[in-house]
Amino acid sequence: AQSVTQLDSQVPVFEEAPVELRCNYSSSVSVYLFWYVQYPNQGLQLLLKYLSGSTLVESINGFEAEFNKSQTSFHLRKPSVHISDTAEYFCAVSDGSGAGSYQLTFGKGTKLSVIP
Amino acid sequence: DAGITQSPRHKVTETGTPVTLRCHQTENHRYMYWYRQDPGHGLRLIHYSYGVKDTDKGEVSDGYSVSRSKTEDFLLTLESATSSQTSVYFCATASGGNSYNEQFFGPGTRLTVL
């Protein structure tokens, strides 16, 4: 079974500073990787995903994540955060075999707090 | 975004009472999921469905049952609610048409068991 580790439960950062949210997953032959964002009192929204091809994927609001197969990591980065980025971020992995229930395994989440 | 609604959005109930949460989707997605979210645990899968009347257990299924009689509706039932089931419950759907299984989430139901 897959497992996902988000190494930091809380990350405070000043506005306009860079941030990295770390995510590691257990190894598999092939995986699909996701970052979801949850704003206060809302459901989860897909932020970005890695399926195949370029190891660097980007979102429309300036986040990017890099798939590193050798380190089994999918860290999320943003060069300059805004107050509106304050949220909880979840890393998730799907077994790429395509069999069964297409389940996602989630990390425990990282709360990003942007300080004015 | 997939059209996913959950009802009720908030519920307070007493220990020992039955509770049913409803998830409704308008996207004709094949797969549906129920998760619970608790501080420090992230999202944990309770049950999922891979078609009408086809369901299976997830990681934390004890004390929960589900039913899916129509593609659009997935019900989660707590037969006899306990305080440990106080949580925020999320429904999610996936089309099943892609092997990578992007999931879409509902707004959640906050359940408090006194």
Side-chain angles (χ1 to χ4, degrees):
Chain A
Q2 288 282 353
S3 66
V4 178
T5 301
Q6 292 185 242
L7 296 164
D8 304 297
S9 60
Q10 298 189 48
V11 174
V13 61
F14 286 103
E15 192 173 16
E16 298 184 1
V19 69
E20 178 180 78
L21 307 183
R22 296 178 291 171
C23 172
N24 287 90
Y25 62 94
S26 56
S27 181
S28 178
V29 175
S30 64
V31 293
Y32 302 113
L33 295 157
F34 305 83
W35 276 100
Y36 282 84
V37 59
Q38 183 181 32
Y39 298 104
N41 299 311
Q42 295 186 24
L44 277 72
Q45 304 172 31
L46 182 66
L47 186 61
L48 48 75
K49 60 190 176 189
Y50 169 78
L51 307 177
S52 64
S54 173
T55 57
L56 186 65
V57 291
E58 299 177 351
S59 72
I60 58 173
N61 57 354
F63 282 93
E64 63 180 29
E66 185 164 17
F67 169 58
N68 188 320
K69 186 174 182 178
S70 63
Q71 296 187 6
T72 60
S73 68
F74 191 53
H75 300 333
L76 181 69
R77 304 183 182 96
K78 189 170 185 179
S80 176
V81 295
H82 301 127
I83 294 291
S84 59
D85 294 324
T86 294
E88 190 161 16
Y89 293 79
F90 293 92
C91 181
V93 61
S94 176
D95 186 332
S97 68
S101 65
Y102 299 94
Q103 290 184 34
L104 287 180
T105 301
F106 286 86
K108 294 184 178 181
T110 298
K111 289 187 177 180
L112 173 63
S113 299
V114 180
I115 305 164
Chain B
D1 289 343
I4 305 170
T5 56
Q6 293 185 230
S7 58
R9 294 293 313 280
H10 302 271
K11 187 171 182 65
V12 179
T13 190
E14 294 186 350
T15 298
T17 60
V19 176
T20 296
L21 308 182
R22 179 179 183 244
C23 177
H24 180 79
Q25 56 126 339
T26 59
E27 299 297 315
N28 200 36
H29 283 179
R30 177 182 175 188
Y31 292 86
M32 298 186 76
Y33 310 83
W34 276 108
Y35 294 91
R36 61 177 289 174
Q37 182 180 25
D38 304 288
H41 291 276
L43 276 80
R44 294 181 289 176
L45 183 66
I46 304 171
H47 281 280
Y48 64 93
S49 170
Y50 48 96
V52 174
K53 298 185 178 179
D54 292 323
T55 65
D56 205 347
K57 296 178 180 180
E59 177 188 357
V60 290
S61 59
D62 287 349
Y64 301 95
S65 62
V66 291
S67 66
R68 191 171 179 199
S69 59
K70 300 185 290 184
T71 298
E72 56 267 35
D73 290 326
F74 192 33
L75 304 180
L76 177 70
T77 297
L78 290 66
E79 299 291 347
S80 177
T82 67
S83 58
S84 64
Q85 293 175 313
T86 292
S87 186
V88 180
Y89 291 86
F90 287 99
C91 174
T93 71
S95 65
N98 301 300
S99 61
Y100 53 82
N101 189 34
E102 177 179 343
Q103 292 187 13
F104 300 88
F105 284 80
T109 293
R110 185 173 296 274
L111 175 67
T112 302
V113 183
L114 301 176

